[in-house]
């Protein structure tokens, strides 16, 4: 590696902004390298293009061929399986993991009129919206954050382009773009558990690259890593990809690791939920890893016994 740490990221405004903020904490001189992924160019729904890895593969290829030394991803986009030759060197401290509503006329979720059109590209959010409000018309939505917001609020300059009553987005993304003031409501985790890893960033390097590992080490946050690993173990245990209607949220609080996971029918007619906790004593990396495996394993067993596999795979198949 040269004296400059080349950091790969998707080229979207959000990806560049969140990577730039994180890279300020990397050691040494940093150069951001935008990489175009399949998910950036293919406007098909996530269910149609498969979801898993579509925002990640091109970045990993650039890492392996030496184009970049570090790859930064939104953790919710990262496949759960190990990638040959690649090491997950750091997981950033999580931003607010909740989803947010951006609606016309500053409407809250409860104030949306019957039959309101609400846009999202996430099968999980689609299922949750339909479960909470069967009267809504849920519309598949792709595009960058400003484009999606414009579907509900109109173009910032012309006011044109409104064809939805609201859109649902990750609050973390809005905050990183300085657009959280556009949010008209926040969807609480008890009713709207989010995608595994939502709000956190993943930092990958080539396996064995000690220089890159040292450069990014300060960005690793132990409690966040424990929480998101628990969430991702649920995703892996249920053999569900990021296009599956599955929500999971874990956090470290009051000396314990708490996890809640929910699987949905895409039409919103059924939800299965499991919640478990693990008491932490030493808070070492080994104990955090054990806790993540423990709570996720119990949640997966409970959900599988209740029929979650059929629910998830029936929804995405």
């Amino acid at each position: 590696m040269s004296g400059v740490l080349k950091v790969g990221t998707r080229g979207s405004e959000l990806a560049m902004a969140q990577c730039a903020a994180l890279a300020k904490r990397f050691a040494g001189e940093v150069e951001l390298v935008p990489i175009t992924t399949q998910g950036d160019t293919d406007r098909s729904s996530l269910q149609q293009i498969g979801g898993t890895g579509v925002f990640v593969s091109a970045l990993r290829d650039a890492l392996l061929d030496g184009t970049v030394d570090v790859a930064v991803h939104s953790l919710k986009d990262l496949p759960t399986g190990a990638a040959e030759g690649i090491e997950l060197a750091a997981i950033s401290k999580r931003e607010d993991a909740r989803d947010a509503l951006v609606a016309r006329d500053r409407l809250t979720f409860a104030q949306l009129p019957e039959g309101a059109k609400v846009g999202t590209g996430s099968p999980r959010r689609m299922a949750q919206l339909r479960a909470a409000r069967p009267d809504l018309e849920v519309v598949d939505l792709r595009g960058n954050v400003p484009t999606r917001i414009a579907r509900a609020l109109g173009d910032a300059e012309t006011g044109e382009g409104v064809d939805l009553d609201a859109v649902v987005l990750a609050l973390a993304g809005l905050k990183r773009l300085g657009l959280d003031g556009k949010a008209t409501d926040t969807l609480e985790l008890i009713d709207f558990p989010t995608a595994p890893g939502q709000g956190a960033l993943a930092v990958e390097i080539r396996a064995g690259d000690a220089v890159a590992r040292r450069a990014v080490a300060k960005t690793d946050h132990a409690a966040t890593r424990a929480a998101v690993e628990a969430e991702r173990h649920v995703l892996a245990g249920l053999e569900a990809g990021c296009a599956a209607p599955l929500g999971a949220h874990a956090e470290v609080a009051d000396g314990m690791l708490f996890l809640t996971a929910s699987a949905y029918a895409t039409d919103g007619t059924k939800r299965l939920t499991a919640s478990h906790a693990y008491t932490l004593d030493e808070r070492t990396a080994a104990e955090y890893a054990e806790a993540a495996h423990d709570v996720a394993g119990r949640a997966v067993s409970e959900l599988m016994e209740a029929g979650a596999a059929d629910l998830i795979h029936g929804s995405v198949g």
Side-chain angles (χ1 to χ4, degrees), residues 95-144:
E95 179 57 270
D96 194 321
R98 295 175 294 175
D99 282 332
L101 185 80
V102 177
R104 62 173 177 82
D105 304 323
R106 302 296 301 176
L107 295 173
T108 66
F109 184 66
Q111 291 170 339
L112 290 172
E114 184 175 349
K117 293 183 178 181
V118 183
T120 175
S122 160
R124 168 189 60 81
R125 291 178 181 139
M126 290 178 180
Q128 290 172 337
L129 289 168
R130 290 166 178 149
R133 291 278 306 269
D135 62 291
L136 298 176
E137 180 181 345
V138 182
V139 178
D140 188 53
L141 181 68
R142 292 291 308 279
N144 60 34

Side-chain angles (χ1 to χ4, degrees), residues 24-70:
K24 290 179 180 178
R25 300 187 60 215
F26 293 166
E29 186 178 353
V30 170
E31 175 189 348
L32 299 190
V33 181
I35 304 290
T36 300
T37 71
Q38 180 189 358
D40 296 313
T41 57
D42 191 332
R43 292 305 178 199
S44 304
S45 72
L46 288 180
Q47 289 170 299
Q48 288 178 317
I49 61 177
T52 304
V54 297
F55 296 112
V56 172
S57 297
L59 279 162
R60 284 179 163 174
D61 289 343
L63 186 59
L64 291 172
D65 68 21
T67 301
V68 299
D69 307 300
V70 173

Side-chain angles (χ1 to χ4, degrees), residues 166-179:
V167 295
V168 179
L169 302 158
L171 182 56
L174 293 177
K175 287 187 172 184
R176 287 167 179 152
L177 287 173
L179 296 174

Side-chain angles (χ1 to χ4, degrees), residues 45 50 54 75-76 120 153 173 175 214 237 241 248 254 262-263 265 275 309:
S45 72
V54 297
L75 185 59
K76 65 182 178 62
T120 175
L153 302 185
K175 287 187 172 184
R214 285 194 298 271
D254 300 323
S262 296
S275 297

Side-chain angles (χ1 to χ4, degrees), residues 222-233:
T224 297
R225 184 182 277 264
V228 299
E229 285 187 346
E231 296 163 12
R232 285 165 57 77
H233 288 327

Side-chain angles (χ1 to χ4, degrees), residues 57-316:
S57 297
L59 279 162
R60 284 179 163 174
D61 289 343
L63 186 59
L64 291 172
D65 68 21
T67 301
V68 299
D69 307 300
V70 173
V72 175
H73 316 273
S74 290
L75 185 59
K76 65 182 178 62
D77 295 332
L78 205 66
T80 56
E84 186 175 356
I86 289 177
E87 176 182 329
L88 181 55
I91 295 175
S92 71
K93 183 177 181 180
R94 177 152 38 195
E95 179 57 270
D96 194 321
R98 295 175 294 175
D99 282 332
L101 185 80
V102 177
R104 62 173 177 82
D105 304 323
R106 302 296 301 176
L107 295 173
T108 66
F109 184 66
Q111 291 170 339
L112 290 172
E114 184 175 349
K117 293 183 178 181
V118 183
T120 175
S122 160
R124 168 189 60 81
R125 291 178 181 139
M126 290 178 180
Q128 290 172 337
L129 289 168
R130 290 166 178 149
R133 291 278 306 269
D135 62 291
L136 298 176
E137 180 181 345
V138 182
V139 178
D140 188 53
L141 181 68
R142 292 291 308 279
N144 60 34
V145 171
T147 298
R148 283 181 277 172
I149 289 175
R151 296 280 296 275
L153 302 185
D155 184 271
E157 295 182 359
T158 67
E160 298 177 350
V162 176
D163 64 344
L164 298 174
D165 294 289
V167 295
V168 179
L169 302 158
L171 182 56
L174 293 177
K175 287 187 172 184
R176 287 167 179 152
L177 287 173
L179 296 174
D180 45 310
K182 302 283 188 184
T184 60
D185 202 1
T186 303
L187 306 181
E188 296 304 323
L189 293 166
I190 189 169
D191 294 316
F192 295 87
T194 51
Q198 183 161 311
L201 302 178
V203 182
E204 291 189 321
I205 63 173
R206 285 183 293 278
D209 188 341
V211 175
R213 189 184 305 118
R214 285 194 298 271
V216 306
K218 288 201 309 184
T219 62
D220 192 47
H221 190 258
T224 297
R225 184 182 277 264
V228 299
E229 285 187 346
E231 296 163 12
R232 285 165 57 77
H233 288 327
V234 172
L235 194 66
L238 293 176
E239 298 182 350
C242 65
L246 173 73
H249 182 74
E251 62 181 309
V252 175
D254 300 323
M256 302 183 77
L257 174 62
F258 297 92
L259 167 71
T260 295
S262 296
Y264 300 84
T266 301
D267 63 7
T269 57
K270 190 172 183 180
R271 172 182 178 176
L272 300 172
T273 298
S275 297
H276 293 278
Y278 184 103
T279 300
L280 298 163
D281 296 318
E282 302 173 353
R283 302 199 185 197
T284 60
E287 187 187 39
Y288 274 137
E290 179 183 348
H293 276 284
D294 178 85
V295 293
R298 285 186 280 147
V300 167
S301 294
E302 184 176 335
L303 289 170
M304 290 289 275
E305 288 177 7
D310 291 337
L311 196 64
I312 290 172
H313 297 299
S315 293
V316 300

